[in-house]
mmCIF file of all heavy atoms in Angstrom:
data_model
loop_
_atom_site.group_PDB
_atom_site.id
_atom_site.type_symbol
_atom_site.label_atom_id
_atom_site.label_comp_id
_atom_site.label_asym_id
_atom_site.label_seq_id
_atom_site.Cartn_x
_atom_site.Cartn_y
_atom_site.Cartn_z
ATOM 1 N N LEU A 61 84.530 132.536 65.140
ATOM 2 C CA LEU A 61 83.180 132.671 64.670
ATOM 3 C C LEU A 61 82.506 133.853 65.392
ATOM 4 O O LEU A 61 81.880 134.682 64.762
ATOM 5 C CB LEU A 61 82.358 131.420 64.772
ATOM 6 C CG LEU A 61 80.903 131.511 64.417
ATOM 7 C CD1 LEU A 61 80.726 131.856 62.921
ATOM 8 C CD2 LEU A 61 80.167 130.192 64.717
ATOM 9 N N LEU A 62 82.600 133.909 66.713
ATOM 10 C CA LEU A 62 81.985 134.963 67.470
ATOM 11 C C LEU A 62 82.513 136.323 67.067
ATOM 12 O O LEU A 62 81.865 137.357 66.955
ATOM 13 C CB LEU A 62 82.124 134.771 69.008
ATOM 14 C CG LEU A 62 81.513 133.544 69.632
ATOM 15 C CD1 LEU A 62 81.639 133.597 71.121
ATOM 16 C CD2 LEU A 62 80.021 133.452 69.219
ATOM 17 N N GLY A 63 83.910 136.375 66.934
ATOM 18 C CA GLY A 63 84.500 137.590 66.507
ATOM 19 C C GLY A 63 84.069 138.053 65.126
ATOM 20 O O GLY A 63 83.756 139.233 64.904
ATOM 21 N N GLN A 64 83.930 137.102 64.238
ATOM 22 C CA GLN A 64 83.405 137.467 62.949
ATOM 23 C C GLN A 64 81.976 137.917 62.883
ATOM 24 O O GLN A 64 81.641 138.851 62.187
ATOM 25 C CB GLN A 64 83.646 136.226 61.924
ATOM 26 C CG GLN A 64 85.157 135.949 61.610
ATOM 27 C CD GLN A 64 85.244 134.697 60.849
ATOM 28 O OE1 GLN A 64 84.535 133.685 61.083
ATOM 29 N NE2 GLN A 64 86.164 134.694 59.890
ATOM 30 N N LEU A 65 81.153 137.241 63.658
ATOM 31 C CA LEU A 65 79.762 137.626 63.735
ATOM 32 C C LEU A 65 79.600 139.049 64.260
ATOM 33 O O LEU A 65 78.860 139.859 63.714
ATOM 34 C CB LEU A 65 79.014 136.717 64.632
ATOM 35 C CG LEU A 65 78.583 135.377 64.079
ATOM 36 C CD1 LEU A 65 78.107 134.418 65.126
ATOM 37 C CD2 LEU A 65 77.654 135.438 62.909
ATOM 38 N N MET A 66 80.377 139.372 65.305
ATOM 39 C CA MET A 66 80.313 140.786 65.839
ATOM 40 C C MET A 66 80.797 141.749 64.728
ATOM 41 O O MET A 66 80.217 142.818 64.693
ATOM 42 C CB MET A 66 81.107 140.844 67.131
ATOM 43 C CG MET A 66 80.573 140.168 68.285
ATOM 44 S SD MET A 66 78.994 140.823 68.919
ATOM 45 C CE MET A 66 79.529 142.325 69.603
ATOM 46 N N THR A 67 81.861 141.405 64.081
ATOM 47 C CA THR A 67 82.396 142.327 63.069
ATOM 48 C C THR A 67 81.422 142.548 61.906
ATOM 49 O O THR A 67 81.106 143.650 61.478
ATOM 50 C CB THR A 67 83.730 141.797 62.534
ATOM 51 O OG1 THR A 67 84.596 141.650 63.654
ATOM 52 C CG2 THR A 67 84.324 142.732 61.561
ATOM 53 N N TYR A 68 80.839 141.451 61.413
ATOM 54 C CA TYR A 68 79.856 141.565 60.276
ATOM 55 C C TYR A 68 78.613 142.272 60.770
ATOM 56 O O TYR A 68 78.067 143.093 60.013
ATOM 57 C CB TYR A 68 79.423 140.121 59.751
ATOM 58 C CG TYR A 68 80.415 139.575 58.855
ATOM 59 C CD1 TYR A 68 80.928 138.278 59.117
ATOM 60 C CD2 TYR A 68 80.982 140.190 57.722
ATOM 61 C CE1 TYR A 68 81.868 137.604 58.282
ATOM 62 C CE2 TYR A 68 81.873 139.656 56.955
ATOM 63 C CZ TYR A 68 82.357 138.339 57.160
ATOM 64 O OH TYR A 68 83.244 137.824 56.300
ATOM 65 N N ALA A 69 78.157 142.111 61.968
ATOM 66 C CA ALA A 69 77.049 142.903 62.497
ATOM 67 C C ALA A 69 77.371 144.339 62.509
ATOM 68 O O ALA A 69 76.509 145.146 62.120
ATOM 69 C CB ALA A 69 76.595 142.373 63.880
ATOM 70 N N GLY A 70 78.554 144.673 62.938
ATOM 71 C CA GLY A 70 79.009 146.048 62.951
ATOM 72 C C GLY A 70 78.979 146.676 61.568
ATOM 73 O O GLY A 70 78.636 147.842 61.317
ATOM 74 N N MET A 71 79.634 145.940 60.638
ATOM 75 C CA MET A 71 79.745 146.405 59.285
ATOM 76 C C MET A 71 78.384 146.676 58.646
ATOM 77 O O MET A 71 78.133 147.672 57.973
ATOM 78 C CB MET A 71 80.470 145.404 58.391
ATOM 79 C CG MET A 71 81.945 145.327 58.767
ATOM 80 S SD MET A 71 83.070 144.159 57.913
ATOM 81 C CE MET A 71 82.182 143.405 56.709
ATOM 82 N N LYS A 72 77.431 145.716 58.923
ATOM 83 C CA LYS A 72 76.085 145.824 58.317
ATOM 84 C C LYS A 72 75.380 147.081 58.926
ATOM 85 O O LYS A 72 74.559 147.685 58.191
ATOM 86 C CB LYS A 72 75.251 144.540 58.641
ATOM 87 C CG LYS A 72 73.957 144.619 58.004
ATOM 88 C CD LYS A 72 73.179 143.334 58.067
ATOM 89 C CE LYS A 72 71.894 143.402 57.294
ATOM 90 N NZ LYS A 72 71.226 142.128 57.181
ATOM 91 N N ALA A 73 75.727 147.446 60.136
ATOM 92 C CA ALA A 73 75.110 148.587 60.798
ATOM 93 C C ALA A 73 75.862 149.885 60.502
ATOM 94 O O ALA A 73 75.556 150.955 61.015
ATOM 95 C CB ALA A 73 75.026 148.385 62.240
ATOM 96 N N GLY A 74 76.920 149.778 59.661
ATOM 97 C CA GLY A 74 77.666 151.053 59.228
ATOM 98 C C GLY A 74 78.706 151.450 60.274
ATOM 99 O O GLY A 74 79.103 152.595 60.282
ATOM 100 N N LYS A 75 79.074 150.623 61.149
ATOM 101 C CA LYS A 75 80.092 150.939 62.174
ATOM 102 C C LYS A 75 81.519 150.796 61.561
ATOM 103 O O LYS A 75 81.652 150.066 60.613
ATOM 104 C CB LYS A 75 79.953 150.071 63.457
ATOM 105 C CG LYS A 75 78.595 150.049 64.049
ATOM 106 C CD LYS A 75 78.027 151.356 64.434
ATOM 107 C CE LYS A 75 76.651 151.302 64.923
ATOM 108 N NZ LYS A 75 75.837 152.415 64.582
ATOM 109 N N LYS A 76 82.417 151.469 62.207
ATOM 110 C CA LYS A 76 83.878 151.162 61.906
ATOM 111 C C LYS A 76 84.255 149.909 62.686
ATOM 112 O O LYS A 76 83.859 149.732 63.788
ATOM 113 C CB LYS A 76 84.732 152.336 62.278
ATOM 114 C CG LYS A 76 84.299 153.697 61.903
ATOM 115 C CD LYS A 76 84.253 153.908 60.415
ATOM 116 C CE LYS A 76 84.011 155.334 60.024
ATOM 117 N NZ LYS A 76 82.696 155.584 59.517
ATOM 118 N N CYS A 77 84.919 148.978 62.041
ATOM 119 C CA CYS A 77 85.201 147.644 62.596
ATOM 120 C C CYS A 77 86.571 147.188 62.383
ATOM 121 O O CYS A 77 87.188 147.425 61.305
ATOM 122 C CB CYS A 77 84.199 146.593 61.973
ATOM 123 S SG CYS A 77 82.484 147.057 62.015
ATOM 124 N N SER A 78 87.056 146.358 63.349
ATOM 125 C CA SER A 78 88.299 145.670 63.102
ATOM 126 C C SER A 78 88.161 144.306 63.814
ATOM 127 O O SER A 78 87.455 144.187 64.745
ATOM 128 C CB SER A 78 89.549 146.396 63.588
ATOM 129 O OG SER A 78 89.550 146.340 64.970
ATOM 130 N N TRP A 79 88.760 143.337 63.238
ATOM 131 C CA TRP A 79 88.762 141.916 63.738
ATOM 132 C C TRP A 79 90.238 141.378 63.586
ATOM 133 O O TRP A 79 90.697 141.298 62.459
ATOM 134 C CB TRP A 79 87.759 141.113 63.079
ATOM 135 C CG TRP A 79 87.822 139.630 63.396
ATOM 136 C CD1 TRP A 79 87.374 139.040 64.577
ATOM 137 C CD2 TRP A 79 88.304 138.572 62.614
ATOM 138 N NE1 TRP A 79 87.593 137.729 64.555
ATOM 139 C CE2 TRP A 79 88.111 137.406 63.367
ATOM 140 C CE3 TRP A 79 88.816 138.431 61.364
ATOM 141 C CZ2 TRP A 79 88.490 136.126 62.838
ATOM 142 C CZ3 TRP A 79 89.226 137.221 60.810
ATOM 143 C CH2 TRP A 79 88.975 136.038 61.603
ATOM 144 N N ILE A 80 90.789 140.957 64.622
ATOM 145 C CA ILE A 80 92.196 140.377 64.513
ATOM 146 C C ILE A 80 92.190 139.016 65.303
ATOM 147 O O ILE A 80 92.012 138.967 66.504
ATOM 148 C CB ILE A 80 93.264 141.264 65.135
ATOM 149 C CG1 ILE A 80 93.355 142.573 64.264
ATOM 150 C CG2 ILE A 80 94.619 140.629 65.118
ATOM 151 C CD1 ILE A 80 94.454 143.506 64.671
ATOM 152 N N PRO A 81 92.477 137.884 64.523
ATOM 153 C CA PRO A 81 92.541 136.574 65.194
ATOM 154 C C PRO A 81 93.961 136.352 65.677
ATOM 155 O O PRO A 81 94.932 136.913 65.155
ATOM 156 C CB PRO A 81 92.176 135.651 64.040
ATOM 157 C CG PRO A 81 92.638 136.278 62.817
ATOM 158 C CD PRO A 81 92.446 137.857 63.114
ATOM 159 N N SER A 82 94.063 135.499 66.699
ATOM 160 C CA SER A 82 95.369 135.099 67.255
ATOM 161 C C SER A 82 95.185 133.562 67.592
ATOM 162 O O SER A 82 94.359 133.224 68.388
ATOM 163 C CB SER A 82 95.724 135.896 68.411
ATOM 164 O OG SER A 82 96.899 135.397 69.061
ATOM 165 N N TYR A 83 96.101 132.762 67.088
ATOM 166 C CA TYR A 83 96.039 131.346 67.299
ATOM 167 C C TYR A 83 97.266 130.931 68.126
ATOM 168 O O TYR A 83 98.376 131.472 67.922
ATOM 169 C CB TYR A 83 96.053 130.515 65.977
ATOM 170 C CG TYR A 83 94.874 130.868 65.126
ATOM 171 C CD1 TYR A 83 95.002 131.782 64.098
ATOM 172 C CD2 TYR A 83 93.656 130.213 65.372
ATOM 173 C CE1 TYR A 83 93.861 132.090 63.246
ATOM 174 C CE2 TYR A 83 92.560 130.436 64.517
ATOM 175 C CZ TYR A 83 92.716 131.362 63.479
ATOM 176 O OH TYR A 83 91.647 131.642 62.688
ATOM 177 N N GLY A 84 97.184 129.862 68.851
ATOM 178 C CA GLY A 84 98.298 129.220 69.477
ATOM 179 C C GLY A 84 98.980 128.312 68.508
ATOM 180 O O GLY A 84 98.688 128.318 67.383
ATOM 181 N N PRO A 85 99.874 127.379 69.027
ATOM 182 C CA PRO A 85 100.612 126.481 68.161
ATOM 183 C C PRO A 85 99.713 125.535 67.301
ATOM 184 O O PRO A 85 100.098 125.205 66.181
ATOM 185 C CB PRO A 85 101.517 125.650 69.054
ATOM 186 C CG PRO A 85 101.134 126.003 70.441
ATOM 187 C CD PRO A 85 100.163 127.188 70.442
ATOM 188 N N GLU A 86 98.574 125.143 67.800
ATOM 189 C CA GLU A 86 97.690 124.321 66.995
ATOM 190 C C GLU A 86 96.329 125.123 66.889
ATOM 191 O O GLU A 86 96.076 125.851 67.886
ATOM 192 C CB GLU A 86 97.275 122.941 67.640
ATOM 193 C CG GLU A 86 98.454 122.244 68.344
ATOM 194 C CD GLU A 86 98.663 122.715 69.794
ATOM 195 O OE1 GLU A 86 97.778 123.152 70.409
ATOM 196 O OE2 GLU A 86 99.869 122.627 70.222
ATOM 197 N N MET A 87 95.687 124.909 65.784
ATOM 198 C CA MET A 87 94.443 125.697 65.660
ATOM 199 C C MET A 87 93.310 125.024 66.550
ATOM 200 O O MET A 87 92.704 125.647 67.392
ATOM 201 C CB MET A 87 94.033 125.829 64.244
ATOM 202 C CG MET A 87 94.860 126.761 63.496
ATOM 203 S SD MET A 87 94.497 126.763 61.731
ATOM 204 C CE MET A 87 93.427 128.123 61.600
ATOM 205 N N ARG A 88 93.020 123.736 66.372
ATOM 206 C CA ARG A 88 92.026 123.008 67.125
ATOM 207 C C ARG A 88 92.691 122.452 68.406
ATOM 208 O O ARG A 88 93.584 121.748 68.325
ATOM 209 C CB ARG A 88 91.443 121.885 66.273
ATOM 210 C CG ARG A 88 90.230 121.300 66.981
ATOM 211 C CD ARG A 88 89.457 120.283 66.224
ATOM 212 N NE ARG A 88 88.440 120.784 65.337
ATOM 213 C CZ ARG A 88 87.428 121.570 65.643
ATOM 214 N NH1 ARG A 88 87.284 122.060 66.847
ATOM 215 N NH2 ARG A 88 86.561 121.921 64.758
ATOM 216 N N GLY A 89 92.169 122.924 69.572
ATOM 217 C CA GLY A 89 92.667 122.503 70.781
ATOM 218 C C GLY A 89 93.679 123.458 71.379
ATOM 219 O O GLY A 89 93.969 123.385 72.585
ATOM 220 N N GLY A 90 94.411 124.166 70.613
ATOM 221 C CA GLY A 90 95.388 125.198 71.123
ATOM 222 C C GLY A 90 94.623 126.409 71.586
ATOM 223 O O GLY A 90 93.392 126.484 71.502
ATOM 224 N N THR A 91 95.317 127.362 72.102
ATOM 225 C CA THR A 91 94.728 128.629 72.564
ATOM 226 C C THR A 91 94.320 129.469 71.344
ATOM 227 O O THR A 91 95.050 129.455 70.344
ATOM 228 C CB THR A 91 95.536 129.401 73.485
ATOM 229 O OG1 THR A 91 96.792 129.696 72.778
ATOM 230 C CG2 THR A 91 95.868 128.631 74.791
ATOM 231 N N ALA A 92 93.234 130.155 71.437
ATOM 232 C CA ALA A 92 92.783 131.025 70.375
ATOM 233 C C ALA A 92 92.140 132.263 71.018
ATOM 234 O O ALA A 92 91.455 132.160 71.997
ATOM 235 C CB ALA A 92 91.862 130.348 69.446
ATOM 236 N N ASN A 93 92.307 133.393 70.391
ATOM 237 C CA ASN A 93 91.554 134.552 70.786
ATOM 238 C C ASN A 93 91.507 135.534 69.668
ATOM 239 O O ASN A 93 92.248 135.420 68.689
ATOM 240 C CB ASN A 93 92.165 135.257 72.056
ATOM 241 C CG ASN A 93 93.469 135.879 71.848
ATOM 242 O OD1 ASN A 93 93.558 136.976 71.252
ATOM 243 N ND2 ASN A 93 94.565 135.216 72.236
ATOM 244 N N CYS A 94 90.563 136.406 69.740
ATOM 245 C CA CYS A 94 90.484 137.440 68.719
ATOM 246 C C CYS A 94 90.017 138.706 69.388
ATOM 247 O O CYS A 94 89.396 138.767 70.428
ATOM 248 C CB CYS A 94 89.493 137.070 67.570
ATOM 249 S SG CYS A 94 87.777 136.941 68.052
ATOM 250 N N GLY A 95 90.355 139.844 68.775
ATOM 251 C CA GLY A 95 90.018 141.143 69.229
ATOM 252 C C GLY A 95 89.052 141.774 68.242
ATOM 253 O O GLY A 95 89.328 141.739 67.034
ATOM 254 N N VAL A 96 87.992 142.382 68.709
ATOM 255 C CA VAL A 96 87.004 143.023 67.802
ATOM 256 C C VAL A 96 86.868 144.414 68.290
ATOM 257 O O VAL A 96 86.703 144.657 69.527
ATOM 258 C CB VAL A 96 85.639 142.302 67.838
ATOM 259 C CG1 VAL A 96 84.612 143.085 67.078
ATOM 260 C CG2 VAL A 96 85.811 140.896 67.377
#
């Protein structure tokens, strides 16, 4: 959610944006990270 919010804020402001999610073996409770 944080990654998506930052990306949408950038898009709305006309910035170039990328967002890539990365999940561990389980989505809830496993490791998760994203790059913005």
Side-chain angles (χ1 to χ4, degrees):
L61 176 62
L62 295 188
Q64 290 173 323
L65 284 170
M66 290 295 288
T67 303
Y68 282 128
M71 288 177 5
K72 186 170 183 171
K75 309 303 176 212
K76 312 297 188 250
C77 307
S78 73
W79 172 73
I80 296 185
S82 175
Y83 300 96
E86 321 85 27
M87 288 173 97
R88 186 171 276 306
T91 59
N93 67 78
C94 68
V96 175

